[in-house]
């Protein structure tokens, strides 16, 4: 007999199966259970984009406190020279398989507004996945959105630093963006934001953050 509260939300394994047709690997299950950490190191050759599903499950189906602390936007920042199309295609397949294509927005930020796919400024309260190159995305977090008029700077700044969790894929290939966002994350933690803000750096190789600290202190 179905209870008055309706059907139970899916477990992460069920959610992942519906999206991909396969059970989640161990690291994704841990992230779904524990949250996105500041840094993730995965074995070489491991697909990193599955982390998106862990965030999405936590936002939509996690326990109450988890949902309230999970930012509504996931910003997936790719290193310079990367092609966003493979990531975008994977996310589109997952949202379709989960029947979420109409309720979770997917935006591609390529730089100038005319090059964007989808407008993340519309329906700002809708959960969204934003994919783009790190330099174009970070310019928004610095209130200097690349290719935008000055009137648009504060809108993109607010969307980038309030209610957003950033993931830099292969952070070792985007050290300046990683350094800038680590500093912003420190400011957000110290001063607080109206909605949660988070940052995760992903790598598939061992990473020394000495070069990031060097950027932070002005050395090369």
């Amino acid at each position: 007999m179905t209870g008055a509260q309706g059907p139970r939300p899916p477990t992460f394994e069920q959610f992942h199966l519906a999206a991909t047709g396969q059970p989640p690997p161990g690291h994704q299950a841990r992230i779904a259970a524990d949250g996105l950490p500041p840094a993730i190191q995965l074995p070489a050759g491991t697909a990193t984009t599955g982390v998106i599903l862990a965030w999405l499950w936590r936002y939509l189906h996690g326990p109450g406190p988890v949902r309230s602390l999970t930012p509504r936007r996931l910003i997936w920042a790719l290193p310079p020279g990367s092609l966003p199309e493979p990531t975008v295609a994977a996310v589109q397949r997952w949202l379709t398989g989960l029947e979420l294509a109409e309720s979770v927005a997917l935006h591609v930020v390529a730089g100038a507004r005319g090059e964007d796919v989808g407008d993340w400024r519309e329906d700002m309260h809708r959960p969204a996945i934003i994919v783009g190159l790190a330099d174009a995305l970070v310019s928004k977090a610095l209130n200097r959105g690349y290719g935008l008029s000055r009137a648009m700077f504060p809108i993109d700044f607010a969307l980038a630093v309030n209610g957003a969790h950033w993931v830099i894929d292969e952070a070792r290939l985007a050290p300046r963006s990683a350094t800038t966002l680590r500093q912003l994350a420190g400011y957000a933690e110290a001063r607080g934001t109206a909605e949660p803000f988070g940052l995760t750096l992903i790598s598939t190789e061992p990473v020394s953050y000495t070069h990031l600290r060097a950027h932070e202190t002005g050395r090369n």
Side-chain angles (χ1 to χ4, degrees), residues 72-73 102-103 105 107 119-128:
R72 76 178 71 233
R73 285 177 292 278
E102 298 300 321
S103 57
H107 304 302
D119 191 342
W120 67 334
R121 305 168 194 89
E122 298 176 359
D123 198 6
M124 297 178 185
H125 295 290
R126 184 181 177 190

Coordinates of all heavy atoms in Angstrom, one line a residue, residues 72-73 102-103 105 107 119-128:
R72 N 22.0 25.2 -6.3 CA 21.1 24.9 -7.4 C 21.7 24.8 -8.8 O 21.2 24.3 -9.7 CB 19.9 25.9 -7.4 CG 20.2 27.2 -8.0 CD 19.0 28.1 -8.0 NE 18.7 28.6 -6.7 CZ 17.5 28.5 -6.2 NH1 16.5 27.9 -6.9 NH2 17.2 28.9 -5.0
R73 N 22.9 25.5 -8.9 CA 23.6 25.5 -10.2 C 24.9 24.7 -10.1 O 25.7 25.0 -9.1 CB 23.9 26.9 -10.7 CG 22.7 27.6 -11.2 CD 23.0 29.1 -11.6 NE 23.3 29.9 -10.4 CZ 22.3 30.4 -9.7 NH1 21.1 30.2 -9.9 NH2 22.7 31.1 -8.6
E102 N 13.1 18.9 -19.0 CA 12.2 20.1 -18.9 C 12.4 20.8 -17.6 O 11.9 22.0 -17.4 CB 10.8 19.7 -19.2 CG 10.5 19.2 -20.5 CD 10.8 20.1 -21.6 OE1 10.6 21.3 -21.5 OE2 11.3 19.7 -22.7
S103 N 12.9 20.1 -16.6 CA 13.0 20.7 -15.3 C 14.4 21.1 -14.8 O 14.5 22.0 -13.9 CB 12.4 19.8 -14.2 OG 13.1 18.5 -14.2
A105 N 17.8 22.8 -16.3 CA 18.3 23.5 -17.5 C 19.8 23.1 -17.8 O 20.5 22.8 -16.9 CB 18.3 25.0 -17.2
H107 N 23.0 24.7 -20.0 CA 23.5 25.9 -20.7 C 24.9 25.6 -21.1 O 25.7 25.0 -20.4 CB 23.4 27.1 -19.8 CG 22.0 27.4 -19.3 ND1 21.0 27.6 -20.1 CD2 21.6 27.6 -18.0 CE1 19.9 27.9 -19.4 NE2 20.2 27.8 -18.1
D119 N 19.9 30.5 -22.0 CA 20.2 31.8 -21.3 C 20.0 31.5 -19.8 O 18.9 31.3 -19.4 CB 19.3 32.9 -21.8 CG 19.7 34.2 -21.2 OD1 20.5 34.2 -20.2 OD2 19.3 35.3 -21.8
W120 N 21.1 31.4 -19.1 CA 21.0 31.0 -17.7 C 20.5 32.2 -16.8 O 20.2 32.0 -15.7 CB 22.3 30.5 -17.1 CG 23.5 31.6 -17.0 CD1 23.6 32.7 -17.8 CD2 24.6 31.5 -16.2 NE1 24.8 33.3 -17.4 CE2 25.4 32.6 -16.4 CE3 25.0 30.6 -15.2 CZ2 26.6 32.8 -15.7 CZ3 26.2 30.8 -14.5 CH2 26.9 31.9 -14.8
R121 N 20.3 33.3 -17.5 CA 19.7 34.5 -16.7 C 18.2 34.4 -16.7 O 17.5 35.1 -15.9 CB 20.1 35.8 -17.4 CG 21.6 35.9 -17.6 CD 22.0 37.1 -18.5 NE 23.4 37.0 -18.9 CZ 23.8 36.3 -19.9 NH1 23.0 35.7 -20.7 NH2 25.1 36.3 -20.2
E122 N 17.6 33.5 -17.5 CA 16.1 33.3 -17.4 C 15.8 32.2 -16.5 O 16.5 31.2 -16.4 CB 15.6 32.9 -18.8 CG 15.9 34.0 -19.9 CD 15.4 33.6 -21.3 OE1 15.0 32.5 -21.4 OE2 15.6 34.4 -22.2
D123 N 14.7 32.4 -15.7 CA 14.2 31.4 -14.8 C 15.4 31.0 -13.8 O 15.8 29.8 -13.7 CB 13.7 30.1 -15.5 CG 12.8 29.3 -14.6 OD1 12.6 29.7 -13.5 OD2 12.4 28.2 -15.0
M124 N 15.9 32.0 -13.1 CA 17.1 31.8 -12.3 C 16.9 30.8 -11.2 O 17.9 30.2 -10.6 CB 17.6 33.1 -11.7 CG 18.0 34.1 -12.8 SD 18.4 35.7 -12.0 CE 18.7 36.7 -13.4
H125 N 15.7 30.5 -10.7 CA 15.5 29.6 -9.6 C 15.4 28.1 -10.1 O 15.3 27.3 -9.2 CB 14.2 30.0 -8.9 CG 14.2 31.3 -8.3 ND1 15.0 31.6 -7.1 CD2 13.6 32.5 -8.6 CE1 14.8 32.8 -6.8 NE2 14.0 33.4 -7.6
R126 N 15.5 27.9 -11.4 CA 15.5 26.5 -11.9 C 16.9 25.9 -11.7 O 17.9 26.6 -12.0 CB 15.1 26.6 -13.4 CG 15.0 25.3 -14.1 CD 14.6 25.6 -15.5 NE 14.5 24.4 -16.3 CZ 14.4 24.3 -17.6 NH1 14.4 25.5 -18.3 NH2 14.3 23.2 -18.3
P127 N 17.0 24.7 -11.3 CA 18.3 24.0 -11.2 C 18.9 24.0 -12.6 O 18.2 23.8 -13.6 CB 18.0 22.6 -10.7 CG 16.6 22.4 -10.9 CD 15.9 23.8 -10.9
A128 N 20.2 24.2 -12.7 CA 20.9 24.3 -14.0 C 22.3 23.7 -13.9 O 23.0 23.7 -12.9 CB 20.9 25.7 -14.4

